[in-house]
């Protein structure tokens, strides 16, 4: 935590302008942006929600977490270059260029709330893992003015750290911390995978693999997910397509590099990593049904005890130093997702709302310094609200289900106009507003119906997260699938139908034609341009941070030698060599 906050303080010097704070000045090295693009798609969800899925069914988990591959390939062929050619400074600036300023205001009102809910869920999920791993979940602490459980205290501390370094450092802080987080997560999973099979094989990895083939529950490798209807699979794939191509943080990574050719490299590398690394991360969890067949007895206080499968495995096979590093890795993985959301939400509120409104009122744009301070204040307020959400979310089910419900509230509805609007420019300026309005009304009706069905009071949280179970035309449908279907048919239908009313005139005609011209014009950097000093410093920081973590692991080797502490030295050596 100290290291991460220090990064935010150090790289704050890079942010001389708001474009530096929100897009790294447009010259983020593509390798760093690629790592950030990839790791920002993961969080504690991979080690909590995903471990719960994998504990129940390995075959379904393999299919579920390999769907990013075709999504990134779609980015390689279609979306990566297009995003770079839009020449944006903030993600929602796309809406102004493609549709209208009113569309940007409309989206801001609708996008901030659901994304802040997702931030809260990410922090909540992270603290399930960290508070459980550290043994403080049920501890009660007296803070003088109040008493609080360890789980809630971990939410306050963790959320506070994320907000501080993101507020201080901007996108450069996000990029640097994403890089070190990627290294930590990769290192831990490289070590825990052979250890888990060594453990169930009584000292032999080969025997452990044989046990995997003979001792896992019947049907464990079948392609299904317990409690999920058939329609879950195609709906989830649609969400993945949207999430890895037109989500705002994806756009931010693509337009923050200097050359459009670099975006294709980013997409292709992410496609390869998304095929290999998620499999590496869930492969150790295949051993958990063998080691912990009655996992509910280990974690009786958890609503979904199978979500503690990965932390249970870590407690069983890792020495204390590596267990600490694993906790840091989970913390790091979640930070890479939350800091990304904080940064682009702050960019939207500042550049797409505050600046134009302030300019129209005062007749002059706010100074760069004022914009930077407003952006930082926005990130701080968003962080406070997301912490509040995290403290109040646990009554709505397991981490995977709550996360899926939150995403289903908005992703299809909000991103259909973005997805098609980037490919098809023959709709009027109001098409996105009409499309999203139809979807929002539909999702709201579904939420009210779900709240009534559960016989609970019709409160805001029930409307957002209460489940629903119906059968249409022989298909079982839950809240997740229902929200998606409403988004697809309501939002998609209205958007495409608006093409029949397309009319270009006035400012919209000038704006959309300029946008179309940019989409046809390659965005290449000057061939003589060298990597900026900020990029060199960022790479150097990654090296020094790797050495620093390696030194810590060396220091904890000796007192843990009687508990497999030699692994700490191995991990420390690998991290130190990465610097070279």
């Amino acid at each position: 935590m100290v290291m991460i906050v220090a990064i935010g303080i150090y790289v704050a010097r890079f942010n001389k302008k708001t474009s530096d704070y929100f897009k790294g000045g447009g010259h983020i090295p593509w390798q760093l942006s690629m790592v950030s693009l990839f790791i920002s798609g993961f969080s504690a969800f991979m080690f909590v929600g995903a471990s719960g899925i994998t504990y129940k069914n390995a075959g379904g988990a393999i299919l579920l977490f390999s769907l990013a591959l075709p999504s990134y390939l779609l980015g390689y062929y279609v979306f990566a270059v297009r995003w770079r050619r839009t020449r944006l400074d903030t993600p929602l600036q796309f809406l102004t260029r493609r549709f209208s300023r009113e569309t940007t205001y409309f989206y801001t009102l609708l996008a901030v709330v659901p994304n802040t809910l997702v931030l809260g869920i990410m922090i909540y999920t992270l603290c399930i893992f960290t508070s459980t791993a550290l043994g403080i979940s049920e501890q009660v602490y007296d803070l003088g003015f109040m008493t609080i459980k360890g789980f809630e205290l971990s939410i306050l501390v963790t959320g506070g750290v994320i907000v501080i370094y993101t507020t201080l450092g901007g996108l450069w802080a996000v990029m640097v911390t994403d890089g070190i987080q990627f290294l930590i997560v990769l290192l831990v999973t490289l070590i825990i995978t052979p250890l888990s099979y060594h453990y169930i094989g009584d000292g032999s990895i080969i025997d452990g693999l044989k046990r995997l083939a003979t001792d896992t529950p019947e049907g464990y490798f079948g392609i299904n997910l317990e409690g999920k209807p058939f329609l879950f699979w195609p709906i989830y794939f649609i969400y993945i397509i949207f999430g890895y191509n037109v989500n705002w943080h994806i756009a931010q990574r693509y337009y923050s590099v200097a050359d459009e050719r670099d975006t294709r490299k980013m997409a292709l590398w992410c496609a390869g990593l998304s095929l290999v690394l998620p499999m590496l991360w869930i492969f150790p969890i295949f051993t958990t049904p063998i080691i912990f067949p009655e996992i509910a007895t280990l974690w009786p206080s958890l609503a979904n005890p199978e979500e503690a499968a990965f932390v249970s495995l870590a407690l069983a096979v890792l020495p204390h130093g590596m267990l600490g590093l694993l906790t840091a890795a989970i913390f790091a993985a979640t930070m890479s997702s939350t800091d990304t959301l904080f940064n682009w939400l702050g960019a939207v509120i500042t550049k797409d709302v505050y600046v134009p409104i302030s300019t129209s009122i005062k007749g002059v744009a706010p100074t760069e310094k004022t914009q930077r301070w407003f952006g930082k204040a926005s990130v701080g307020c968003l962080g406070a609200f997301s912490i509040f959400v995290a403290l109040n979310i646990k009554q709505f089910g397991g981490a995977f289900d709550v996360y899926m419900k939150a995403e289903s509230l908005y992703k299809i509805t909000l991103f259909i106009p973005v997805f098609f609007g980037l490919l098809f420019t023959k709709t009027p300026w109001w098409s996105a507003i009409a499309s999203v309005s139809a979807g929002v009304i539909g999702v709201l009706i579904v939420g009210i119906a779900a709240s009534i069905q559960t016989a609970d009071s019709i409160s805001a949280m029930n409307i957002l997260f209460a489940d629903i179970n119906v059968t249409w035309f022989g298909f079982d449908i839950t809240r997740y699938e229902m929200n998606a279907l409403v988004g697809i048919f309501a939002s998609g239908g209205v958007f495409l139908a608006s093409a029949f009313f397309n009319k270009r005139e006035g400012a919209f005609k000038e704006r959309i034609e300029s946008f179309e011209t940019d989409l046809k014009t390659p965005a290449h950097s000057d061939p003589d341009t060298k990597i900026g000093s900020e990029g060199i410093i960022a790479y150097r920081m990654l090296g020094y941070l790797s050495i620093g973590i390696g030194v810590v692991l060396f220091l904890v080797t000796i007192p843990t030698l009687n508990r497999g502490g030699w692994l700490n030295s191995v991990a420390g050596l690998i991290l130190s060599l990465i610097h070279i």
Side-chain angles (χ1 to χ4, degrees):
M1 287 186 178
V2 172
M3 182 184 296
I4 294 302
V5 172
I7 290 172
I9 295 172
Y10 184 82
V11 302
R13 68 186 65 185
F14 296 169
N15 300 317
K16 299 178 177 64
K17 298 182 297 184
T18 51
S19 63
D20 297 326
Y21 187 77
F22 290 126
K23 62 177 290 187
H27 50 260
I28 300 286
W30 76 264
Q31 297 92 338
L32 191 58
S33 190
M34 177 272 296
V35 168
S36 179
L37 173 65
F38 178 75
I39 199 67
S40 63
F42 297 93
S43 66
F45 167 76
M46 275 299 296
F47 300 93
V48 178
S51 69
I53 294 169
T54 309
Y55 179 86
K56 291 181 177 179
N57 186 267
I62 291 172
L63 177 59
L64 198 69
F65 300 113
S66 63
L67 293 178
L69 171 63
S71 302
Y72 277 122
L73 289 178
L74 183 62
Y76 173 81
Y77 287 109
V78 179
F79 287 98
V81 168
R82 284 179 172 266
W83 277 123
R84 181 60 189 86
R85 290 183 181 182
T86 57
R87 296 163 170 85
L88 304 176
D89 289 319
T90 69
L92 265 66
Q93 188 181 16
F94 164 79
L95 299 171
T96 300
R97 298 203 64 201
R98 170 60 181 85
F99 300 106
S100 65
R101 174 70 64 186
E102 293 80 5
T103 303
T104 300
Y105 295 151
F106 183 74
Y107 260 74
T108 302
L109 291 172
L110 294 178
V112 170
V113 172
N115 277 286
T116 308
L117 290 174
V118 171
L119 281 168
I121 293 166
M122 287 180 176
I123 295 173
Y124 163 77
T125 308
L126 166 64
C127 292
I128 290 177
F129 187 97
T130 53
S131 64
T132 302
L134 298 176
I136 65 171
S137 181
E138 298 300 322
Q139 297 290 329
V140 178
Y141 297 88
D142 186 354
L143 303 182
F145 59 93
M146 64 179 295
T147 57
I148 189 171
K149 281 192 174 182
F151 177 70
E152 285 76 17
L153 182 61
S154 67
I155 289 175
L156 293 175
V157 174
T158 301
V161 168
I162 295 172
V163 172
I164 290 171
Y165 88 82
T166 308
T167 301
L168 291 173
L171 189 60
W172 276 110
V174 173
M175 292 292 181
V176 174
T177 52
D178 281 357
I180 195 66
Q181 290 151 17
F182 174 80
L183 295 178
I184 294 174
V185 172
L186 177 62
L187 173 70
V188 170
T189 50
L190 284 173
I191 290 177
I192 199 173
T193 298
L195 280 181
S196 59
Y197 289 92
H198 183 272
Y199 185 89
I200 65 171
D202 294 325
S204 169
I205 295 176
I206 300 299
D207 289 344
L209 292 171
K210 290 179 180 177
R211 281 199 69 188
L212 181 67
T214 59
D215 292 4
T216 50
E218 184 178 353
Y220 184 60
F221 289 97
I223 305 299
N224 63 80
L225 288 179
E226 183 179 325
K228 302 299 179 188
F230 172 79
L231 281 180
F232 171 84
W233 291 102
I235 295 298
Y236 182 80
F237 184 56
I238 292 172
Y239 277 114
I240 291 295
I241 291 290
F242 278 57
Y244 286 88
N245 287 288
V246 295
N247 213 337
W248 299 125
H249 77 274
I250 300 291
Q252 188 182 44
R253 296 302 185 272
Y254 283 139
Y255 68 62
S256 295
V257 298
D259 195 297
E260 69 175 44
R261 290 168 292 196
D262 292 339
T263 65
R264 293 173 67 88
K265 297 174 188 176
M266 291 166 57
L268 193 59
W269 268 92
C270 284
L273 290 174
S274 68
L275 179 64
V276 176
L277 291 187
M279 297 303 104
L280 180 64
W281 290 338
I282 66 173
F283 192 57
I285 307 174
F286 294 167
T287 64
T288 56
I290 299 173
I291 303 173
F292 313 108
E294 301 294 335
I295 197 168
T297 60
L298 295 177
W299 309 103
S301 63
L302 294 182
N304 296 77
E306 66 276 3
E307 292 180 346
F310 196 89
V311 69
S312 302
L313 179 64
L315 288 166
V317 304
L318 290 180
H320 287 309
M322 282 296 295
L323 183 61
L325 187 64
L326 173 63
T327 305
I330 308 308
F331 182 77
T334 300
M335 286 194 301
S336 67
S337 297
T338 55
D339 59 23
T340 293
L341 271 176
F342 278 130
N343 187 266
W344 79 254
L345 284 171
V348 166
I349 293 171
T350 303
K351 300 289 286 186
D352 296 317
V353 178
Y354 168 67
V355 171
I357 290 177
S358 178
T359 302
S360 64
I361 293 174
K362 297 180 179 180
V364 60
T367 65
E368 285 288 335
K369 183 178 180 180
T370 301
Q371 291 183 43
R372 287 200 307 274
W373 278 109
F374 188 89
K376 292 177 180 181
S378 300
V379 172
C381 292
L382 290 168
F385 183 66
S386 65
I387 292 170
F388 170 79
V389 171
L391 291 169
N392 291 276
I393 201 68
K394 63 181 179 181
Q395 68 265 36
F396 291 97
F400 180 77
D401 287 335
V402 174
Y403 185 83
M404 291 294 101
K405 287 177 188 175
E407 284 217 320
S408 71
L409 291 172
Y410 73 97
K411 186 165 282 186
I412 293 285
T413 298
L414 287 179
F415 286 111
I416 273 184
V418 180
F419 185 90
F420 289 112
L422 198 57
L423 302 174
F424 179 63
T425 58
K426 307 299 182 183
T427 61
W429 69 265
W430 49 263
S431 56
I433 295 176
S435 171
V436 172
S437 297
V440 167
I441 292 171
V443 170
L444 181 62
I445 292 172
V446 170
I448 294 173
S451 186
I452 294 172
Q453 187 187 62
T454 59
D456 292 329
S457 59
I458 303 180
S459 64
M461 295 300 280
N462 279 330
I463 290 174
L464 291 173
F465 293 112
D467 206 353
I468 189 170
N469 292 279
V470 297
T471 300
W472 280 0
F473 303 104
F475 292 105
D476 293 329
I477 300 174
T478 67
R479 177 71 181 275
Y480 177 75
E481 293 82 30
M482 182 70 79
N483 285 344
L485 291 172
V486 168
I488 292 170
F489 290 107
S491 294
V494 169
F495 183 81
L496 295 177
S498 71
F500 293 104
F501 304 94
N502 186 35
K503 186 177 181 181
R504 296 185 177 186
E505 58 185 11
F508 175 66
K509 181 177 186 295
E510 180 180 345
R511 190 167 57 246
I512 193 65
E513 289 178 353
S514 172
F515 179 76
E516 290 173 334
T517 299
D518 279 347
L519 287 181
K520 296 174 184 177
T521 305
H524 296 316
S525 62
D526 187 333
D528 296 326
T529 300
K530 304 297 182 182
I531 186 173
S533 60
E534 296 91 348
I536 295 173
I537 294 172
Y539 282 126
R540 187 182 297 137
M541 285 183 66
L542 284 175
Y544 290 155
L545 291 170
S546 297
I547 290 178
I549 298 172
V551 169
V552 171
L553 284 169
F554 280 123
L555 292 176
V556 300
T557 296
I558 295 176
T560 57
L561 277 176
N562 63 331
R563 298 184 297 276
W566 61 272
L567 284 167
N568 294 319
S569 290
V570 172
L573 179 62
I574 294 173
L575 276 175
S576 299
L577 291 175
I578 286 174
H579 174 65
I580 300 175

